[in-house]
Amino acid sequence: SHHSRRSLVMSSDGDDLPRAHIKRIVKKKLTELMNEGFAGDGKGGKGPDGNVQKEALQAFSECAKIFIHYLTATANDICRDGKRQTISVDDVFKAIDELEFGEFSEPLRQAFEGLKKDAAAKSAKKTDAASKKRKASEDAAGGVGDGEAASQGDGEDNEDDEEGEEEGEDDADGDDATAD
């Protein structure tokens, strides 16, 4: 089922990658390469920035798009060989190996793990912020309504709970009425 790869490689149906992203990636790497071994000018300056022709950026973009298409087709073949319809992360890494880019496999896995950790931390921050916001709105609604919100707590106004502690967690001084 490797027949679909060639047709995907040559498709050009408006699925261009964002030029600004390509330019930023290329310029960043080029600057790193140009600064390798640069001892500096003694004045705290950095090495030269590299320049790239507009046509060269278009070539990078087309190459990246072709690589994505080829990698997708290969991962799809691996997925179908496994009698599945959804491409997994493992399918992508197996495709990288199958396309003989194995030397990138481990650095890519490490980068992917870093991305997952960053996403988890970001998600935890959002959850914590939403929890604090919800708690603040519950506290603000305190005596308003049918009295249910006021009866849920221990009857004390916990203004020292600004760190987002949920009820039932131990306070630093251990005097929380609901702690075990």
Side-chain angles (χ1 to χ4, degrees):
S1 68
H2 301 279
H3 63 281
S4 61
R5 291 186 197 165
R6 189 170 307 280
S7 63
L8 279 174
V9 168
M10 301 311 290
S11 73
S12 175
D13 54 3
D15 56 352
D16 292 332
L17 298 171
R19 282 188 224 133
H21 292 285
I22 299 295
K23 184 175 183 177
R24 185 171 46 244
I25 292 167
V26 170
K27 294 279 281 185
K28 180 179 179 193
K29 185 61 179 177
L30 192 54
T31 299
E32 284 175 19
L33 293 170
M34 293 188 77
N35 286 321
E36 262 180 20
F38 182 73
D41 57 7
K43 301 176 187 171
K46 60 178 190 145
D49 286 336
N51 292 316
V52 185
Q53 292 179 339
K54 185 177 180 180
E55 292 80 17
L57 288 172
Q58 290 171 329
F60 278 115
S61 181
E62 280 302 305
C63 289
K65 187 169 79 171
I66 289 169
F67 181 74
I68 291 168
H69 286 172
Y70 201 47
L71 185 61
T72 301
T74 304
N76 186 55
D77 289 342
I78 292 167
C79 181
R80 287 184 179 203
D81 289 347
K83 308 282 190 254
R84 293 175 286 107
Q85 292 182 351
T86 303
I87 295 174
S88 70
V89 173
D90 286 337
D91 295 331
V92 176
F93 286 121
K94 286 177 188 171
I96 287 170
D97 290 336
E98 188 174 308
L99 293 173
E100 298 181 14
F101 287 101
E103 68 270 19
F104 299 117
S105 190
E106 190 54 36
L108 287 169
R109 286 181 191 275
Q110 290 173 358
F112 185 73
E113 286 302 314
L115 289 173
K116 282 183 9 183
K117 287 178 184 172
D118 289 350
K122 197 174 194 179
S123 176
K125 252 185 186 178
K126 281 185 179 179
T127 302
D128 188 41
S131 176
K132 285 182 180 180
K133 188 175 183 179
R134 185 176 53 251
K135 184 165 175 35
S137 68
E138 287 173 0
D139 289 348
V144 186
D146 61 0
E148 186 178 320
S151 67
Q152 287 178 354
D154 56 5
E156 297 179 19
D157 187 11
N158 293 328
E159 289 180 1
D160 60 345
D161 268 357
E162 289 178 341
E163 296 302 318
E165 294 175 356
E166 295 293 327
E167 287 188 56
E169 290 182 2
D170 291 333
D171 283 339
D173 56 6
D175 67 352
D176 189 88
T178 57
D180 292 325

